[in-house]
Short mmCIF file of all heavy atoms in Angstrom, two decimals:
data_model
loop_
_atom_site.label_atom_id
_atom_site.label_comp_id
_atom_site.label_asym_id
_atom_site.label_seq_id
_atom_site.Cartn_x
_atom_site.Cartn_y
_atom_site.Cartn_z
N THR D 85 26.58 14.07 10.87
CA THR D 85 27.80 13.88 10.08
C THR D 85 27.52 13.04 8.84
O THR D 85 27.99 13.36 7.74
CB THR D 85 28.90 13.21 10.93
OG1 THR D 85 29.20 14.04 12.05
CG2 THR D 85 30.16 12.97 10.12
N THR D 86 26.75 11.99 9.00
CA THR D 86 26.40 11.13 7.87
C THR D 86 25.55 11.89 6.86
O THR D 86 25.76 11.79 5.65
CB THR D 86 25.63 9.89 8.36
OG1 THR D 86 26.34 9.28 9.44
CG2 THR D 86 25.49 8.87 7.24
N LEU D 87 24.59 12.67 7.36
CA LEU D 87 23.74 13.47 6.47
C LEU D 87 24.57 14.45 5.64
O LEU D 87 24.37 14.57 4.41
CB LEU D 87 22.72 14.26 7.30
CG LEU D 87 21.36 13.63 7.58
CD1 LEU D 87 20.52 14.59 8.39
CD2 LEU D 87 20.64 13.25 6.30
N ALA D 88 25.48 15.15 6.29
CA ALA D 88 26.29 16.14 5.60
C ALA D 88 27.14 15.50 4.51
O ALA D 88 27.29 16.03 3.40
CB ALA D 88 27.17 16.89 6.60
N SER D 89 27.69 14.34 4.83
CA SER D 89 28.53 13.64 3.86
C SER D 89 27.73 13.23 2.62
O SER D 89 28.16 13.46 1.49
CB SER D 89 29.14 12.40 4.52
OG SER D 89 29.93 11.68 3.60
N LEU D 90 26.56 12.66 2.83
CA LEU D 90 25.72 12.21 1.71
C LEU D 90 25.19 13.40 0.90
O LEU D 90 25.06 13.31 -0.33
CB LEU D 90 24.55 11.37 2.22
CG LEU D 90 24.74 9.84 2.27
CD1 LEU D 90 24.85 9.25 0.88
CD2 LEU D 90 25.94 9.45 3.10
N LEU D 91 24.89 14.51 1.56
CA LEU D 91 24.40 15.68 0.85
C LEU D 91 25.46 16.22 -0.11
O LEU D 91 25.17 16.48 -1.29
CB LEU D 91 24.00 16.77 1.84
CG LEU D 91 23.54 18.10 1.23
CD1 LEU D 91 22.29 17.91 0.37
CD2 LEU D 91 23.29 19.14 2.32
N CYS D 92 26.67 16.35 0.37
CA CYS D 92 27.76 16.88 -0.47
C CYS D 92 28.05 15.96 -1.65
O CYS D 92 28.20 16.42 -2.79
CB CYS D 92 29.02 17.08 0.36
SG CYS D 92 28.87 18.38 1.61
N SER D 93 28.13 14.67 -1.40
CA SER D 93 28.45 13.73 -2.48
C SER D 93 27.33 13.65 -3.51
O SER D 93 27.59 13.52 -4.71
CB SER D 93 28.75 12.34 -1.90
OG SER D 93 27.67 11.85 -1.13
N SER D 94 26.08 13.75 -3.07
CA SER D 94 24.95 13.68 -4.00
C SER D 94 24.91 14.91 -4.91
O SER D 94 24.68 14.79 -6.12
CB SER D 94 23.63 13.55 -3.22
OG SER D 94 23.58 12.34 -2.51
N LEU D 95 25.15 16.09 -4.34
CA LEU D 95 25.17 17.32 -5.15
C LEU D 95 26.33 17.29 -6.14
O LEU D 95 26.19 17.73 -7.29
CB LEU D 95 25.27 18.54 -4.24
CG LEU D 95 24.05 18.85 -3.37
CD1 LEU D 95 24.34 20.01 -2.42
CD2 LEU D 95 22.83 19.17 -4.25
N PHE D 96 27.46 16.78 -5.69
CA PHE D 96 28.62 16.69 -6.58
C PHE D 96 28.35 15.74 -7.75
O PHE D 96 28.76 16.01 -8.88
CB PHE D 96 29.84 16.22 -5.78
CG PHE D 96 31.11 16.15 -6.59
CD1 PHE D 96 31.67 17.30 -7.12
CD2 PHE D 96 31.73 14.93 -6.82
CE1 PHE D 96 32.84 17.24 -7.87
CE2 PHE D 96 32.90 14.85 -7.56
CZ PHE D 96 33.46 16.02 -8.09
N PHE D 97 27.63 14.66 -7.49
CA PHE D 97 27.29 13.70 -8.55
C PHE D 97 26.41 14.36 -9.61
O PHE D 97 26.64 14.18 -10.81
CB PHE D 97 26.57 12.50 -7.93
CG PHE D 97 26.02 11.54 -8.95
CD1 PHE D 97 26.86 10.70 -9.67
CD2 PHE D 97 24.65 11.49 -9.21
CE1 PHE D 97 26.35 9.82 -10.61
CE2 PHE D 97 24.13 10.61 -10.14
CZ PHE D 97 24.99 9.77 -10.85
N ILE D 98 25.41 15.14 -9.19
CA ILE D 98 24.54 15.82 -10.15
C ILE D 98 25.36 16.77 -11.03
O ILE D 98 25.17 16.85 -12.25
CB ILE D 98 23.43 16.60 -9.41
CG1 ILE D 98 22.48 15.62 -8.71
CG2 ILE D 98 22.65 17.48 -10.38
CD1 ILE D 98 21.42 16.30 -7.86
N PHE D 99 26.29 17.49 -10.40
CA PHE D 99 27.13 18.42 -11.15
C PHE D 99 27.98 17.66 -12.18
O PHE D 99 28.10 18.10 -13.34
CB PHE D 99 28.04 19.19 -10.18
CG PHE D 99 29.13 19.97 -10.87
CD1 PHE D 99 28.85 21.18 -11.49
CD2 PHE D 99 30.43 19.48 -10.90
CE1 PHE D 99 29.85 21.89 -12.14
CE2 PHE D 99 31.43 20.18 -11.54
CZ PHE D 99 31.15 21.40 -12.16
N LEU D 100 28.57 16.56 -11.79
CA LEU D 100 29.42 15.78 -12.70
C LEU D 100 28.64 15.28 -13.91
O LEU D 100 29.11 15.37 -15.05
CB LEU D 100 30.04 14.58 -11.96
CG LEU D 100 31.27 14.83 -11.11
CD1 LEU D 100 31.74 13.52 -10.49
CD2 LEU D 100 32.39 15.45 -11.94
#
Side-chain angles (χ1 to χ4, degrees):
T85 299
T86 311
L87 269 181
S89 179
L90 267 292
L91 177 61
C92 292
S93 57
S94 296
L95 291 175
F96 183 64
F97 173 74
I98 293 175
F99 169 78
L100 279 181

